[in-house]
Amino acid sequence: MVAVPLKSAWVMSVAFAPSGNLVASGGLDNMCTVYNIKAASPKTLRELDAHTGYLSCCRFLSDTEILTASGDTTCCLWDLETGKQKIIFTNHIGDCMSLALSPDMNTFISGACDSLAKLWDLREGACKQTFSGHTSDINAISFFPGGNSIITGSDDCSCKMYDLRSDQEVIGYQDTSLNAGVTSLALSSSGRLIFAGYDDFNCHIWDSLKGEKVG
């Protein structure tokens, strides 16, 4: 067990590097702080502070690169060796709330307060696809294990599956008796089950193929 003292108590996102050597956190301080947790005691490796809005999400690509999403409407790819931004992804018109890396690490998806989900190419630094359909903020987003479809969760009380190949919504997950926004998402290892956290303080489980609530 490692205890990492934080400079800000208002944390909105935490991520581990794939190697397990680094951990990052950020929130209302507008910064992504990266710590080396393999040292004798946790040490601050970098403070990435170019965002002008809160830090909503961060995800490592490796020990040398990390992605961040911010309330300033942008996502950024950072070089941890220099502490500088490598690419700034600008296309959303609302706060970016979440992001997720594709299994092959060549693309990532983002969800924002403009009710849109976007697919970005990390190599080109460009937005490749935009998915609409939600009527409120997208708070959570994730790739299905195969990497060809994504799941989104929104304040409009629904989750949606989008297929990247057909460029459209495939299934919507909504229960009329469930009047609460979706705040977080996780998928089972096969992708068959969707675990969605809602504003009603419960985790509801959906069958991703049938579109039915199963728990």
Side-chain angles (χ1 to χ4, degrees):
M1 174 148 332
V2 178
V4 180
L6 302 178
K7 294 182 179 179
S8 171
W10 303 101
V11 175
M12 298 178 70
S13 183
V14 174
F16 275 99
S19 66
N21 294 327
L22 307 175
V23 66
S25 70
L28 298 186
D29 58 358
N30 297 4
M31 285 198 306
C32 179
T33 305
V34 182
Y35 302 90
N36 181 348
I37 58 172
K38 289 301 181 183
S41 60
K43 294 182 178 179
T44 301
L45 180 68
R46 288 288 179 195
E47 290 183 337
L48 311 174
D49 61 355
H51 281 298
T52 57
Y54 59 86
L55 190 99
S56 57
C57 192
C58 57
R59 295 292 181 265
F60 282 94
L61 279 77
S62 66
D63 279 0
T64 59
E65 290 183 315
I66 191 170
L67 270 170
T68 57
S70 171
D72 64 12
T73 76
T74 70
C75 296
C76 292
L77 176 65
W78 300 81
D79 185 330
L80 293 179
E81 293 182 341
T82 64
K84 303 296 184 183
Q85 294 169 314
K86 295 178 72 174
I87 305 173
I88 303 173
F89 301 89
T90 57
N91 198 273
H92 280 295
I93 56 172
D95 299 15
C96 288
M97 299 303 295
S98 58
L99 62 81
L101 280 160
S102 64
D104 64 9
M105 298 284 197
N106 289 326
T107 61
F108 75 95
I109 47 174
S110 60
C113 291
D114 55 11
S115 308
L116 300 174
K118 293 180 180 287
L119 176 75
W120 308 82
D121 191 309
L122 279 163
R123 297 155 297 183
E124 299 177 17
C127 178
K128 292 299 185 181
Q129 289 174 270
T130 298
F131 300 95
S132 60
H134 282 295
T135 57
S136 191
D137 304 358
I138 295 177
N139 297 316
I141 198 164
S142 183
F143 273 94
F144 277 86
N148 292 316
S149 52
I150 64 173
I151 183 76
T152 56
S154 170
D155 274 344
D156 65 11
C157 310
S158 75
C159 299
K160 294 182 183 295
M161 181 201 295
Y162 297 93
D163 185 83
L164 302 183
R165 295 163 296 184
S166 62
D167 195 33
Q168 63 184 350
E169 179 184 337
V170 179
I171 306 177
Y173 308 90
Q174 190 165 15
D175 186 332
T176 54
S177 66
L178 190 53
N179 188 28
V182 181
T183 57
S184 60
L185 287 171
L187 293 164
S188 63
S189 58
S190 66
R192 182 62 187 266
L193 297 178
I194 302 164
F195 300 88
Y198 286 74
D199 276 333
D200 65 356
F201 311 114
N202 290 310
C203 178
H204 299 273
I205 306 170
W206 297 87
D207 184 311
S208 64
L209 297 181
K210 296 181 179 179
E212 299 173 353
K213 191 156 75 74
V214 294

